[in-house]
Amino acid sequence: MQRLCAMILSLCLPLVLVAQIAHADGPPSKGAKGMKGALGTFDFKPSDWKKGQTTYWLDTDGVKPGEAGCHIGTNKKGKPNGRSFGEACLSKVLLVESNPGAKIVHSHKNDVGHPDKFDCNAWCIGKGSAKGTCVAAAAPPCAASAKCICQ
């Protein structure tokens, strides 16, 4: 009986974890709305979170899961301030995709952004490919980023 319970847990636990990772807090952003694989937005605090501050950011690529992007910290006028963070893989298929659009300076209230989550496999299949995965990729000036690769 214990072996059976252990086997059931080993099969079900990964499904529960994937369901939690895939959860989104809100609908897809304007740029992701209607795109295959768009799962919605979620709250994101950068590693150097500035509690209570409204911060400004510039997205280098817009909502383009096939391109690695960088979110560059700026002032209200778009002058870089040295902060940045890249897109990222949450799993082999889940991509954190920044928004709202390429070269748009926008604010993050309380320094919290709302990037989109994308299922790279669904996005790639929607583009006519057989499958897709999330992979690390360069997006200077960010030290690291990610994108969907279709096969």
Side-chain angles (χ1 to χ4, degrees), residues 90-111:
L90 296 174
S91 72
K92 289 182 179 183
V93 296
L94 290 179
L95 171 71
V96 175
E97 176 67 24
S98 58
N99 55 54
K103 309 297 184 215
I104 296 174
V105 175
H106 60 283
S107 64
H108 288 184
K109 187 176 180 181
N110 194 31
D111 200 26

Side-chain angles (χ1 to χ4, degrees), residues 10-20:
S10 70
L11 293 173
C12 294
L13 189 56
L15 296 176
V16 171
L17 292 175
V18 167
Q20 288 177 342

Side-chain angles (χ1 to χ4, degrees), residues 48-141:
D48 60 349
W49 179 54
K50 298 185 181 290
K51 182 179 180 179
Q53 293 186 26
T54 296
T55 56
Y56 295 88
W57 299 86
L58 182 138
D59 184 22
T60 62
D61 70 332
V63 182
K64 294 183 179 175
E67 284 184 29
C70 183
H71 232 51
I72 301 169
T74 70
N75 64 14
K76 286 182 183 181
K77 295 180 181 180
K79 182 179 178 185
N81 61 17
R83 298 179 77 202
S84 67
F85 61 86
E87 296 169 345
C89 294
L90 296 174
S91 72
K92 289 182 179 183
V93 296
L94 290 179
L95 171 71
V96 175
E97 176 67 24
S98 58
N99 55 54
K103 309 297 184 215
I104 296 174
V105 175
H106 60 283
S107 64
H108 288 184
K109 187 176 180 181
N110 194 31
D111 200 26
V112 175
H114 298 90
D116 286 284
K117 283 185 187 177
F118 267 86
D119 178 325
C120 289
N121 193 53
W123 182 76
C124 288
I125 290 171
K127 294 185 67 57
S129 296
K131 65 180 181 174
T133 56
C134 187
V135 298

